[in-house]
Amino acid sequence: MTSVNVKLLYHYVITNLFNLCFFPLTAIVAGKAYRLTIDDLHHLYYSYLQHNLITIAPLFAFTVFGSVLYIATRPKPVYLVEYSCYLPPTHCRSSISKVMDIFYQVRKADPSRNGTCDDSSWLDFLRKIQERSGLGDETHGPEGLLQVPPRKTFAAAREETEQVIIGALENLFKNTNVSPKDIGILVVNSSMFNPTPSLSAMVVNTFKLRSNVRSFNLGGMGCSAGVIAIDLAKDLLHVHKNTYALVVSTENITYNIYAGDNRSMMVSNCLFRVGGAAILLSNKPGDRRRSKYELVHTVRTHTGADDKSFRCVQQGDDENGKTGVSLSKDITDVAGRTVKKNIATLGPLILPLSEKLLFFVTFMGKKLFKDKIKHYYVPDFKLAIDHFCIHAGGRAVIDVLEKNLALAPIDVEASRSTLHRFGNTSSSSIWYELAYIEAKGRMKKGNKVWQIALGSGFKCNSAVWVALNNVKASTNSPWEHCIDRYPVKIDSDSGKSETRVQNGRS
């Protein structure tokens, strides 16, 4: 306890060092100025200022010019006006037993099996993965796969994606009263399903966006594509003034469920569920008052130059020609290394001076005394960040980041609750997590939230936002009818959950 108090005192002194030095100095200067007389001021003018006008005038002009240039050229703020997470209908809810039945029906419907599905070892394997995944019994599956026999067709896949995107956008436009005609930039990301015409073209057609809208469709970029889309929209908003940018993040389950026997490809079936999010961004100064957040930083890290990183998550055919996504045994190491690189870039941007000094001291100490100092100092990101939205890719992903960032259980509560309630919704998972924090009433004015997402390639991308007001849950929030039942207590061994009511921060 003493060490904690000492560190907090150190952090306070370093953080407020300027103020601690400035105010006494200001008091001394003010005391001196108070004693100045009119004769003293005349003496100062005639003895110094009058003889140095040639020097002072250009200096003053340069200062004014530099200030004006800085104000005119600095990037305009990017505001998050509102966002909407898609909540599938209740008839699409899929318990673990129902998901297992979907797997069985999909395999049985595979033409190569001739209507038989005798080998039960794959079923036992999937059941173990499913029970330990951290997912609950209220996640959602696609309508096409819930039918008997399941519809694993292109048409069914298109229906799933259109339902998600249109549902999220209709709620967003309703909550903001923004006309689709006002959208100047559109970015849609879906990694595994990219039909022609594109999904961005589908949005333009459905909502009748204007003909000069700047539209982009991002494909094959994995679960971290949501932050990539935000970063792209941010850059475009810095160029195109006084406009709205619309970002849509989703993934498709119907067309990508794996029906083969390769166990490294089966795992994704147990984690991914239906979901999507629509985000409205603005660079209009007038939107600051009604916006929820301002974008502070985006940091993107790509380690795809390394072969191990590039191949750790890869779509391809198994030995029987069945298409699926294989997860390499190296994925944990690759993810850890990529996250560290991302944090190394983001840390200097957000950490207080006190943490930077501690890290620098231990860094130099390790260089000089390698035998005595075994590890670098791990900065306390909770001094800079109030809320964490870690991509709900699975229990292992959340566990690793919780440990590496020295987070408390409440810091990863939003991620674990999202994984349990909605599953891995790919690039949109970080928005369900943000909605969870809002629904709990924890987002206060000035709070900073860090969204961190991992994806194939391999990529780690971060976005940091600051709350402009005390943020309340949006209308038709995905947590509207179930927030009081979360968080749930997950058994670390069996993966089974026990509901525990907890309102607010504890």
Side-chain angles (χ1 to χ4, degrees), residues 177-189:
N177 292 321
V178 171
S179 169
K181 294 290 186 181
D182 294 332
I183 303 300
I185 298 165
L186 172 65
V187 184
V188 179
N189 69 268

Side-chain angles (χ1 to χ4, degrees), residues 173 177-185 208-210 213 242-245 280 284:
F173 287 130
N177 292 321
V178 171
S179 169
K181 294 290 186 181
D182 294 332
I183 303 300
I185 298 165
K208 309 306 176 187
L209 271 61
R210 64 196 197 205
V213 65
N242 201 40
T243 189
Y244 288 111
L280 181 66
K284 299 181 179 183

Side-chain angles (χ1 to χ4, degrees), residues 27-260:
I28 294 172
V29 173
K32 294 284 187 182
Y34 180 75
R35 289 192 290 269
L36 289 175
T37 64
I38 298 297
D39 292 335
D40 294 328
L41 294 176
H42 280 285
H43 176 72
L44 177 64
Y45 174 76
Y46 287 112
S47 64
Y48 181 76
L49 295 179
Q50 191 178 40
H51 299 291
N52 292 277
L53 285 178
I54 297 177
T55 304
I56 294 173
L59 181 62
F60 177 76
F62 178 78
T63 302
V64 172
F65 175 77
S67 301
V68 172
L69 183 65
Y70 170 76
I71 294 172
T73 59
R74 68 174 180 173
K76 300 299 181 184
V78 173
Y79 304 115
L80 194 163
V81 179
E82 183 60 280
Y83 67 96
S84 172
C85 297
Y86 176 69
L87 180 62
T90 54
H91 67 264
C92 289
R93 285 189 182 174
S94 304
S95 63
I96 291 178
S97 59
K98 193 171 184 178
V99 170
M100 297 305 299
D101 185 60
I102 292 174
F103 295 157
Y104 179 84
Q105 294 295 338
V106 168
R107 288 169 66 90
K108 186 178 179 180
D110 186 357
S112 65
R113 299 183 188 277
N114 297 317
T116 63
C117 194
D118 299 327
D119 186 10
S120 62
S121 62
W122 65 270
L123 194 62
D124 294 335
F125 171 76
L126 286 180
R127 182 176 288 108
K128 290 179 181 178
I129 296 294
Q130 188 78 24
E131 290 177 347
R132 297 174 182 176
S133 64
L135 277 71
D137 282 331
E138 295 187 28
T139 60
H140 299 87
E143 291 192 16
L145 296 182
L146 293 174
Q147 300 174 7
V148 179
R151 292 173 58 224
K152 189 177 180 293
T153 63
F154 191 90
R158 184 186 289 274
E159 289 173 10
E160 176 200 338
T161 297
E162 289 182 351
Q163 286 174 1
V164 172
I165 292 178
I166 293 173
L169 284 174
E170 284 179 343
N171 189 53
L172 180 68
F173 287 130
K174 181 180 179 181
N175 288 347
T176 59
N177 292 321
V178 171
S179 169
K181 294 290 186 181
D182 294 332
I183 303 300
I185 298 165
L186 172 65
V187 184
V188 179
N189 69 268
S190 174
S191 184
M192 305 291 289
F193 183 66
N194 290 282
T196 299
S198 67
L199 297 177
S200 60
M202 182 271 291
V203 172
V204 172
N205 175 260
T206 303
F207 293 94
K208 309 306 176 187
L209 271 61
R210 64 196 197 205
S211 60
N212 64 342
V213 65
R214 297 168 179 85
S215 63
F216 301 83
N217 201 91
L218 306 182
M221 302 196 77
C223 298
S224 66
V227 177
I228 296 174
I230 292 292
D231 184 61
L232 174 59
K234 176 198 73 173
D235 290 343
L236 291 167
L237 286 171
H238 285 165
V239 175
H240 304 285
K241 307 302 181 184
N242 201 40
T243 189
Y244 288 111
L246 186 62
V247 174
V248 182
S249 297
T250 189
E251 191 50 89
N252 188 277
I253 309 301
T254 303
Y255 208 58
N256 297 289
I257 192 167
Y258 175 65

Side-chain angles (χ1 to χ4, degrees), residues 327-340:
L327 304 179
S328 166
K329 62 181 180 180
D330 300 318
I331 187 171
T332 304
D333 294 336
V334 167
R337 179 159 44 86
T338 309
V339 167
K340 287 180 181 178

Side-chain angles (χ1 to χ4, degrees), residues 292-346:
K292 287 186 170 184
Y293 305 94
E294 181 180 339
L295 184 58
V296 182
H297 299 291
T298 53
V299 172
R300 294 169 54 181
T301 303
H302 201 313
T303 58
D306 175 70
D307 290 342
K308 186 184 292 185
S309 296
F310 177 71
R311 296 191 177 95
C312 68
V313 181
Q314 197 161 29
Q315 184 182 27
D317 295 334
D318 65 9
E319 55 276 8
N320 296 316
K322 303 284 193 307
T323 303
V325 177
S326 63
L327 304 179
S328 166
K329 62 181 180 180
D330 300 318
I331 187 171
T332 304
D333 294 336
V334 167
R337 179 159 44 86
T338 309
V339 167
K340 287 180 181 178
K341 289 186 177 182
N342 185 268
I343 291 174
T345 304
L346 181 65

